[in-house]
Amino acid sequence: MFIVSTSLSNTKSERENTMGMASLNILSPFSMSTCLFNYNNTHYYNTNYTHNLYNYNNAKPKPLPNHHLSLLSNLFSTTKSNPSPKFSPISSHLSKSGIVTCSWMQDNSMHQIQNASAGNSCSCSAFPTKAAQVSSVQDLFEFICSGPLLGKLSLSRERIADSIDKWIAYNSYLCRLFQLNELYLTVPQKARFYHYYIPVFIWCEDQISKHMSEFKDGEDIAPLVIGFSAPQGCGKTTLVFALDYLFKKTGRKSATISIDDFYLTAEGQAKLREANPGNALLELRGNAGSHDLQLSVETLKALSKLTKEGLKMKLPRYDKSAYNGKGDRADPSTWPEVEGPLTVVLFEGWMLGFKPLPMEDVKAVDPQLEMVNKNLEAYYHAWYKFIKTWIVIKIKDPSCVYEWRLQAEIAMRENGKPGMSDEEVKDFVSRYLPAYNAYLPTLYSEGPSGSDPEHLLLIEIDDGRNPF
């Protein structure tokens, strides 16, 4: 049997300790697990197990034994009506206004969250209206092992079995971040966490371990810079958002930056436009040449020195909603502060990793790319040389960027932020497509400039932003 009990705290100290938690006690003849859940910006913790899930004394792997595993909630189950973990279209983005909108969350009382790195909080959750379905951890284990990335990440069934409790804890953290109820995760939501975010997080942890092993005892360990390259709107910012949260919840200090944070000021953009009359690719922010490379070098160097307690710095931020969507650098008073010792820096961008190509190749795509290609030559020393590990998200067709960008701008407008009209979005994206068509094939076939195949993860996604 299982008992569900809820309690609401009235005093400040009670709220700080229990924060209005709902607790689920699942009892079986073999073990007892306690799950503490969060319903309204409150604290909760993950499931604890009283039994091992794998026989550590036997080198030969065994299946997870059903007879002593705790019964858990629907987040571990597949039902007769939906026996296989099939993907459905999943979309997510985080605008620079700080709003995340993810359609894969909307079937679970969740509609939008605020960017925690900007100092805002999560919102929009609801109590469940139906009983939770319950099944065993064996079901969860099989669900995890059906994920499309495991072979690429060298995550064996044995390793997953060894660390199943960590997978469950990571899922709990993500449910808290996105304000989802663990008892009522849909299959797309479980797939997003267990087939995408958590496996990538584990791969990043492995990369951090390798990075730290390169330093001698007592030596200051510079943070590992992980570069995320992916076209606009495909979910890279939300992925980084989730990874950053997982790092913090597991005791690592991390920082997030975007190439967008290094765009020229509105005044600098105007000067770039005047210096390149008639070149639509440099009329607005976006392409190589529209970034303050000196600011980016200074920022990345400063981050690499945050190796001790007490060292702090502010991270530049960009306001895309300024000037009716044309953008401007955010006021420095709003920049978030990070403190050392940093373990990892997550650096993301739509054109991160692009390499200069022979001029005749880029001119064949679009003659206006000639100046962009020349500008790109300076980006290795400004950005890429700082990045030791890469995650590249590969899309099938750059044309889907328009739809994804349109979704982002609509979300900004619906949340009261100034955003571009549909026609402006079409015009805006058209200024990026030549670069996508020119540079993505080489990025996908050769990897970013200076990248090491041992430290490069290529993730292919479909039109619904699902890895496959």
Side-chain angles (χ1 to χ4, degrees), residues 168-180:
I168 294 169
Y170 299 154
N171 177 77
S172 292
Y173 296 144
L174 291 173
C175 285
R176 180 185 182 186
L177 174 65
F178 293 104
Q179 285 292 281
L180 296 176

Side-chain angles (χ1 to χ4, degrees), residues 144-338:
I144 292 173
C145 291
S146 70
L149 297 180
L150 300 190
K152 183 174 292 188
L153 303 181
S154 299
L155 290 174
S156 65
R157 290 174 66 90
E158 292 83 1
R159 184 178 177 188
I160 294 170
D162 283 346
S163 59
I164 190 71
D165 55 335
K166 289 186 178 181
W167 288 73
I168 294 169
Y170 299 154
N171 177 77
S172 292
Y173 296 144
L174 291 173
C175 285
R176 180 185 182 186
L177 174 65
F178 293 104
Q179 285 292 281
L180 296 176
N181 185 342
E182 285 182 89
L183 296 178
Y184 298 89
L185 290 183
T186 64
V187 171
Q189 290 161 357
K190 287 189 290 185
R192 179 53 56 124
F193 294 164
Y194 284 115
H195 290 175
Y196 194 3
Y197 293 173
I198 295 174
V200 171
F201 174 71
I202 292 172
W203 185 83
C204 290
E205 283 281 343
D206 290 344
Q207 291 293 312
I208 290 172
S209 296
K210 293 176 183 177
H211 171 72
M212 296 178 72
S213 69
E214 297 174 358
F215 293 82
K216 298 178 181 179
D217 291 343
E219 189 177 2
D220 287 344
I221 301 177
L224 174 66
V225 180
I226 303 178
F228 295 78
S229 179
Q232 300 153 309
C234 73
K236 66 181 178 301
T237 307
T238 308
L239 171 62
V240 168
F241 179 59
L243 296 176
D244 180 58
Y245 187 77
L246 288 176
F247 281 124
K248 287 178 169 61
K249 294 303 292 182
T250 53
R252 296 193 186 277
K253 290 187 178 181
S254 57
T256 63
I257 53 175
S258 168
I259 66 171
D260 298 355
D261 299 325
F262 303 127
Y263 280 137
L264 297 170
T265 63
E267 180 181 358
Q269 291 175 32
K271 292 180 179 178
L272 178 67
R273 184 165 53 250
E274 293 170 2
N276 297 273
N279 190 331
L281 304 185
L282 296 173
E283 185 177 358
L284 300 173
R285 72 176 189 266
N287 284 290
S290 64
H291 301 90
D292 187 335
L293 297 185
Q294 183 60 38
L295 175 64
S296 63
V297 169
E298 292 171 357
T299 301
L300 289 164
K301 283 184 176 179
L303 284 169
S304 69
K305 296 177 181 178
L306 289 186
T307 59
K308 291 182 170 62
E309 291 282 354
L311 296 177
K312 301 177 182 179
M313 66 172 290
K314 285 196 168 188
L315 298 176
R317 289 294 185 254
Y318 191 83
D319 182 4
K320 287 184 176 180
S321 65
Y323 294 96
N324 295 319
K326 292 184 177 180
D328 194 8
R329 188 167 300 156
D331 190 307
S333 65
T334 68
W335 294 2
E337 186 176 71
V338 292

Side-chain angles (χ1 to χ4, degrees), residues 77-78 82 84-87 143 185-192:
S77 68
T78 54
N82 194 1
S84 61
K86 295 180 180 178
F87 290 108
F143 184 86
L185 290 183
T186 64
V187 171
Q189 290 161 357
K190 287 189 290 185
R192 179 53 56 124

Side-chain angles (χ1 to χ4, degrees), residues 87-159:
F87 290 108
S88 65
I90 298 174
S91 62
S92 62
H93 68 265
L94 188 149
S95 71
K96 290 304 172 184
S97 63
I99 300 295
V100 171
T101 301
C102 305
S103 65
W104 52 271
M105 298 191 292
Q106 292 177 357
D107 290 334
N108 190 287
S109 306
M110 172 63 211
H111 301 287
Q112 64 185 35
I113 64 175
Q114 302 267 343
N115 184 351
S117 66
N120 298 323
S121 60
C122 300
S123 63
C124 285
S125 63
F127 286 93
T129 58
K130 62 181 181 180
Q133 300 178 21
V134 178
S135 69
S136 72
V137 177
Q138 183 69 45
D139 293 328
L140 172 62
F141 176 72
E142 295 300 335
F143 184 86
I144 292 173
C145 291
S146 70
L149 297 180
L150 300 190
K152 183 174 292 188
L153 303 181
S154 299
L155 290 174
S156 65
R157 290 174 66 90
E158 292 83 1
R159 184 178 177 188

Side-chain angles (χ1 to χ4, degrees), residues 3 131 156 165 207 330-331 351 361 386 396 418:
I3 302 171
S156 65
D165 55 335
Q207 291 293 312
D331 190 307
M351 55 161 283
D361 292 348
F386 294 95
K396 293 189 295 184

